[in-house]
Amino acid sequence: MAGPRIIVAMDFSTLALAVEFAERLEPGSCRLKVGHQLYSAAGPDAVRRLADLGFDIFLDLKYHDIPNTVAQACRAAAELGVWMVNVHAAGGPAMLSAAADAVEPGGPLVIAVTVLTSIDARQYEAIGYRGDIAERVVEFAQMAQASGLDGVVCSAQEANQLRGLLGDQFALVTPGIRPPGSQAGDQQRIMTPAAAMAAGSDYLVIGRPITGAADPAQVIREIRSDIGE
Ligand code: C5P
């Protein structure tokens, strides 16, 4: 996969804060992720303004709805010019195929969220799922691939196994990344950038270690050097 491996999670409360921050970064060194917080605050303008600064945008809205609605949402995201968009694998094969088919070749990568890393064994059972979470992650990832998607969001701990099963052309996007010495925060199962890349990650989603740094560009330079980019 070509281009920068770091995707900075732009978890800001206003577009002004996000733009001010993005202006301190280099589009050649990272991509940006717009998630529910910033999108709910600023809407598609958040994507337009950040893309205008030259960044590739991962629109992380995790669509999960009837197939037609998800397909139309993916089309709208493609028209907005995003580089990557995602859906929930739990939406099922029909929804996943509709998402994949909605995007023209050369349009955004469409990837699936497997099991959220915030779901522990208790939450998992409360939803009504049975069995092993790790097996469910594999099944969801295989379903996403069979439905024509381009990759999955997964924990770096799962990347090694998924890479072996799904091959080199399937993108593995991993949050829960912490450079050596940085705070874990609320992330439970963390991995360093170099370890995540060694495990088979293609893209590293990193938020607070970069957004909370005094010199974010320097943190990005250090991570890129650690992963040999
Ligand atoms: O600040 P931090 O590096 O923990 O940010 C991680 C980002 O990745 C956040 O935007 C979070 O919503 C997202 N994410 C995650 N775990 C998942 C899926 C998405 O941390 N399983």
Side-chain angles (χ1 to χ4, degrees):
M1 319 240 163
R5 305 289 180 160
I6 298 173
I7 303 176
V8 181
M10 299 293 283
D11 296 325
F12 291 98
S13 57
T14 69
L15 181 52
L17 285 171
V19 168
E20 189 189 337
F21 182 80
E23 282 171 341
R24 300 167 67 190
L25 309 178
E26 275 294 323
S29 69
C30 63
R31 310 180 203 249
L32 305 181
K33 178 172 89 66
V34 173
H36 286 294
Q37 182 186 11
L38 184 56
Y39 198 83
S40 298
D45 270 350
V47 173
R48 292 191 193 102
R49 288 286 302 282
L50 296 172
D52 280 350
L53 294 175
F55 293 95
D56 284 346
I57 307 296
F58 169 19
L59 184 61
D60 178 23
L61 296 181
K62 304 182 179 73
Y63 300 135
H64 187 171
D65 209 317
I66 60 172
N68 181 62
T69 300
V70 168
Q72 301 293 3
C74 288
R75 257 181 223 120
E79 273 173 30
L80 199 50
V82 306
W83 160 74
M84 176 180 275
V85 63
N86 64 357
V87 300
H88 264 289
M95 193 204 80
L96 295 174
S97 300
D101 293 347
V103 169
E104 304 285 327
L109 297 171
V110 184
I111 66 166
V113 175
T114 54
V115 178
L116 292 172
T117 45
S118 56
I119 301 290
D120 60 13
R122 266 181 66 187
Q123 299 293 315
Y124 190 74
E125 281 198 16
I127 301 169
Y129 287 147
R130 295 289 174 265
D132 191 46
I133 297 182
E135 283 171 22
R136 172 69 62 173
V137 169
V138 169
E139 285 163 11
F140 273 164
Q142 287 173 323
M143 187 172 80
Q145 188 174 49
S147 304
L149 266 66
D150 299 301
V152 288
V153 183
C154 63
S155 148
Q157 330 258 342
E158 296 147 1
N160 198 16
Q161 187 193 9
L162 293 180
R163 177 61 68 215
L165 289 168
L166 305 171
D168 285 343
Q169 298 307 310
F170 198 67
L172 301 180
V173 178
T174 59
I177 303 298
R178 290 292 177 267
S182 65
Q183 300 277 324
D186 54 359
Q187 294 284 9
Q188 299 297 326
R189 298 185 298 145
I190 57 174
M191 220 186 248
T192 64
M197 292 301 294
S201 292
D202 292 297
Y203 299 108
L204 309 173
V205 175
I206 311 177
R208 289 159 290 180
I210 295 173
T211 56
D215 186 349
Q218 176 59 22
V219 174
I220 289 175
R221 274 194 292 278
E222 285 167 11
I223 296 170
R224 295 188 77 206
S225 146
D226 278 355
I227 62 175
E229 191 173 67

